[in-house]
């Protein structure tokens, strides 16, 4: 298991390599509008580019595009429903030891329990991850109590946590559904505009693997059309 977050383990080295090879990196610039031009270029808020890959969350895509390009995407994107993921961080006064750095649970609230201290991320700290978290309409204290109750199944000697943090992302993933159709993108590709994101994957649900594969596919399509 990585002992660094995804930013440090993957994104930062890629950005460093790109910048060393002449790529301009311009973060924290909110994009308002993307539009193809008659000469084959793509305008992004008035600046011209050879091609554009849109790698936003699906609910941001339609607002970026002019109506004729957005309309074919609308039925598939409007059909997406979303699920929440809640992460509960707990710090204990007592030392503890889990069977593994990452432990799966059944018949409880917690689905995955991560031993942060064994990853060098926090002394005597745990992180509990709960997908489809909207099924529990709980307060912060109720989340902490439920997760602590599951922790006691492995470490019954622990007292109440000394500190806690509850983080809920309400639209963390799209919901997998039978017969879900990815949004059509051939009309965008003709204008050198490409979609990347797990929601574009034809088979996978909302996963990091699906997101990575979609990004690789978008990059490959972009290079093929460009070259």
């Amino acid at each position: 298991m990585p002992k660094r977050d995804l930013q440090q383990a993957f994104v930062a080295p890629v950005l460093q390599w790109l910048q060393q090879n002449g790529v301009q990196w311009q973060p924290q610039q909110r994009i308002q509008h993307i539009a193809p031009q008659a000469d084959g270029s793509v305008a992004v808020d008035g600046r011209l580019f050879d091609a554009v890959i849109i790698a936003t969350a699906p609910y941001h895509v339609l607002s970026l595009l002019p109506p004729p390009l957005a309309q074919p995407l609308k039925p598939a994107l409007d059909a997406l429903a979303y699920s929440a993921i809640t992460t509960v961080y707990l710090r204990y006064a007592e030392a503890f030891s889990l069977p593994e750095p990452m432990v799966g649970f059944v018949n409880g609230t917690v689905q995955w329990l991560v031993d942060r201290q064994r990853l060098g991320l926090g002394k005597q700290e745990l992180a509990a991850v709960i997908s489809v978290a909207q099924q529990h309409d709980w307060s912060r204290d109720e989340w902490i109590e439920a997760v602590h109750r599951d922790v006691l199944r492995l470490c019954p000697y622990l007292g109440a946590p000394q500190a806690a943090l509850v983080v809920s992302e309400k639209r963390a993933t799209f919901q997998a559904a039978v017969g879900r159709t990815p949004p059509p993108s051939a009309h965008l590709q003709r204008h050198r505009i490409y979609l990347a994101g797990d929601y574009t994957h034809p088979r996978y649900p909302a996963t990091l693997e699906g997101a990575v594969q979609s990004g690789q596919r978008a990059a490959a399509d972009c290079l093929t059309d460009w070259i």
Side-chain angles (χ1 to χ4, degrees):
M1 293 182 64
K3 292 189 176 182
R4 295 180 296 170
D5 60 32
L6 289 176
Q7 172 71 22
Q8 296 303 316
F10 180 72
V11 177
V14 170
L15 287 175
Q16 183 179 14
W17 184 90
L18 290 171
Q19 290 173 300
Q20 289 173 347
N21 286 272
V23 174
Q24 294 184 26
W25 167 242
Q26 297 178 306
Q28 300 180 10
Q29 297 197 30
R30 184 178 295 275
I31 302 301
Q32 301 290 338
H33 192 62
I34 297 171
Q37 304 298 295
D39 62 0
S41 62
V42 185
V44 179
D45 289 347
R47 296 181 61 190
L48 297 181
F49 296 87
D50 294 302
V52 170
I53 296 176
I54 301 177
T56 68
Y59 42 82
H60 291 312
V61 173
L62 296 179
S63 64
L64 294 174
L65 296 169
L69 294 184
Q71 187 57 40
L73 305 173
K74 186 172 172 56
L77 295 180
D78 285 349
L80 291 176
Y82 298 92
S83 286
I85 293 179
T86 293
T87 305
V88 180
Y89 300 90
L90 300 179
R91 181 186 301 141
Y92 290 93
E94 304 93 338
F96 57 81
S97 178
L98 299 185
E100 300 290 342
M102 186 172 180
V103 179
F105 274 74
V106 294
N107 301 324
T109 298
V110 174
Q111 294 154 6
W112 295 102
L113 194 63
V114 180
D115 188 342
R116 285 172 56 83
Q117 65 181 359
R118 289 171 69 175
L119 302 179
L121 299 175
K123 186 177 181 181
Q124 295 168 196
E125 286 185 4
L126 297 171
V129 182
I130 302 94
S131 296
V132 198
Q134 70 273 13
Q135 63 184 307
H136 304 298
D137 185 19
W138 288 345
S139 67
R140 174 185 179 275
D141 289 343
E142 287 172 323
W143 273 113
I144 295 168
E145 180 182 350
V147 170
H148 176 59
R149 188 162 54 244
D150 279 350
V151 172
L152 292 179
R153 292 165 58 185
L154 293 176
C155 305
Y157 50 84
L158 288 177
Q162 281 190 320
L165 175 66
V166 179
V167 179
S168 292
E169 186 177 352
K170 294 183 178 180
R171 293 189 289 184
T173 67
F174 68 87
Q175 294 179 8
V178 175
R180 182 185 69 86
T181 302
S185 58
H187 68 293
L188 295 178
Q189 189 167 332
R190 289 194 293 269
H191 297 287
R192 292 190 177 178
I193 300 173
Y194 307 84
L195 296 180
D198 54 5
Y199 71 97
T200 69
H201 200 288
R203 298 181 305 279
Y204 283 5
T207 61
L208 291 175
E209 291 84 355
V212 170
Q213 288 186 18
S214 76
Q216 292 172 332
R217 187 208 65 240
D221 289 345
C222 178
L223 288 174
T224 298
D225 294 342
W226 196 1
I227 296 172

